[in-house]
Amino acid sequence: MPKRDVVSWTTMIGGYAERGFCEEAVSVFQEMEKTKEAEPNEATLVNVLSACSSISALSYGQYVHSYISTRYDLSVSNLVGNAVINMYVKCGDVGIAIQVFNMLAYKDTISWSTVISGLAMNGCGRQALQLFSLMIINRVFPDDVTFIALISACNHGGLVDQGLILFKAMSTVYEIVPQMQHYACVVDMYGRAGLLEEAEAFIREMPIEAEWSVWGALLNACRIHRNDEMLDRIRQELVNKKGVSVGTFALMSNTFAGADRWEDANKIRDEIRRMGLKKKTGCSWIEVNPSIF
């Protein structure tokens, strides 16, 4: 192109990020900065920060954050601020995320929810609940995403009673209708605490039919706590469900194998092959000076 404006550059960065080529997205941003053909705007920064978050590339994210700090003409809006917070949270640096959060002139629901989620992911359940209390004091109302983060915080912190109180308050106080992911979080919370019977009873009493993700959470609890009797009941439920992921079937097979029930494990594997399902190969990233491998 004879002339590349900010829209051209941002489109390239966003396209790479959306397709999963996150390192390339960051490289295009760096080239954009060096050539000075156009000044990155809010959309550019949000896209490149999203790319950094996707691959947990902390050094790249810090590079972008540093660039933002040098742009005195750029007013950091909630959109950019929240993207910076999300990047640090996804990269595991909750301390810096909280610092950025505290510097925001206006904190919306996304700002609060992102930090709460970050605390939950990093095992700081009680701090997440304390931050939620502060959120309410500041008259910022939670949404459905906030409650996923809160129940997850209780999940990882073993705070079952608090999690149930929050789940109930979600609908009775804040009039938010629980979605399937909320139910799955509650089941997972019960399961991690070893309360498998309570988890199954909770599923049976759901006002909507439990999808495979909810039964999958209970399946994982059965694997951890080696409850073979319940495992057979879950198998019957999942056999009749539509859209069950290959990952859930693989988990079921591995659970049977862990219980030395090799015949059942092989039957599940045969069923996976019969349906033509293929599990995506797992991958990990490692950051080295500062390339991503």
Side-chain angles (χ1 to χ4, degrees):
M1 292 178 66
K3 185 177 181 180
R4 299 176 292 188
D5 59 12
V6 66
V7 177
S8 311
W9 286 97
T10 302
T11 301
M12 286 295 295
I13 293 168
Y16 273 129
E18 188 176 344
R19 291 285 184 173
F21 299 103
C22 300
E23 192 170 357
E24 287 83 352
V26 177
S27 296
V28 172
F29 174 78
Q30 291 173 324
E31 184 184 351
M32 178 184 185
E33 187 193 355
K34 288 176 182 176
T35 60
K36 306 293 184 183
E37 287 185 8
E39 285 280 289
N41 59 16
E42 285 191 359
T44 315
L45 297 170
V46 169
N47 274 296
V48 72
L49 285 166
S50 173
C52 296
S53 301
S54 297
I55 57 174
S56 300
L58 181 58
S59 62
Y60 284 147
Q62 289 171 329
Y63 173 84
V64 178
H65 187 199
S66 176
Y67 169 80
I68 294 170
S69 301
T70 64
R71 285 283 302 277
Y72 299 108
D73 61 315
L74 184 68
S75 178
V76 179
S77 67
N78 269 63
L79 199 62
V80 175
N82 290 340
V84 174
I85 293 170
N86 183 60
M87 182 274 296
Y88 279 115
V89 161
K90 294 287 178 63
C91 293
D93 198 336
V94 184
I96 300 298
I98 291 174
Q99 287 182 26
V100 176
F101 171 78
N102 289 333
M103 291 171 63
L104 287 181
Y106 172 73
K107 304 172 181 65
D108 60 12
T109 301
I110 296 173
S111 312
W112 289 92
S113 299
T114 303
V115 178
I116 290 171
S117 177
L119 289 167
M121 287 190 297
N122 288 275
C124 305
R126 294 189 185 277
Q127 292 91 326
L129 298 184
Q130 290 170 359
L131 190 62
F132 175 65
S133 298
L134 193 59
M135 177 182 181
I136 300 304
I137 290 171
N138 281 271
R139 298 181 180 275
V140 180
F141 292 99
D143 59 12
D144 58 329
V145 177
T146 312
F147 279 97
I148 289 173
L150 287 168
I151 298 170
S152 295
C154 295
N155 182 347
H156 294 293
L159 308 171
V160 177
D161 291 339
Q162 291 92 324
L164 293 175
I165 290 170
L166 287 165
F167 180 75
K168 185 176 180 180
M170 179 180 168
S171 55
T172 58
V173 177
Y174 299 101
E175 298 181 346
I176 299 172
V177 179
Q179 303 299 313
M180 201 60 64
Q181 193 171 355
H182 297 100
Y183 288 110
C185 283
V186 173
V187 172
D188 194 37
M189 179 177 66
Y190 271 129
R192 285 176 184 267
L195 303 172
L196 273 66
E197 297 298 334
E198 289 84 347
E200 186 176 11
F202 176 81
I203 295 175
R204 304 288 182 190
E205 294 169 4
M206 283 173 54
I208 55 177
E209 184 180 358
E211 292 182 357
W212 63 266
S213 57
V214 178
W215 287 106
L218 185 56
L219 173 63
N220 188 53
C222 288
R223 180 187 62 82
I224 294 170
H225 298 285
R226 296 182 176 275
N227 190 321
D228 288 353
E229 183 180 341
M230 186 175 291
L231 176 60
D232 287 325
R233 294 200 296 272
I234 296 172
R235 178 183 184 176
Q236 292 304 314
E237 292 288 345
L238 289 175
V239 164
N240 299 317
K241 295 289 179 190
K242 292 183 179 179
V244 179
S245 72
V246 63
T248 301
F249 278 125
L251 175 61
M252 188 186 303
S253 176
N254 292 338
T255 304
F256 279 127
D260 290 329
R261 296 174 58 177
W262 296 103
E263 184 177 349
D264 290 321
N266 290 331
K267 283 181 180 179
I268 298 297
R269 292 287 177 180
D270 290 341
E271 186 67 13
I272 292 173
R273 284 190 286 269
R274 187 189 67 78
M275 292 186 291
L277 299 175
K278 289 186 178 181
K279 192 173 185 298
K280 288 185 179 180
T281 305
C283 64
S284 300
W285 287 280
I286 182 170
E287 193 172 3
V288 180
N289 294 328
S291 298
I292 305 294
F293 299 96

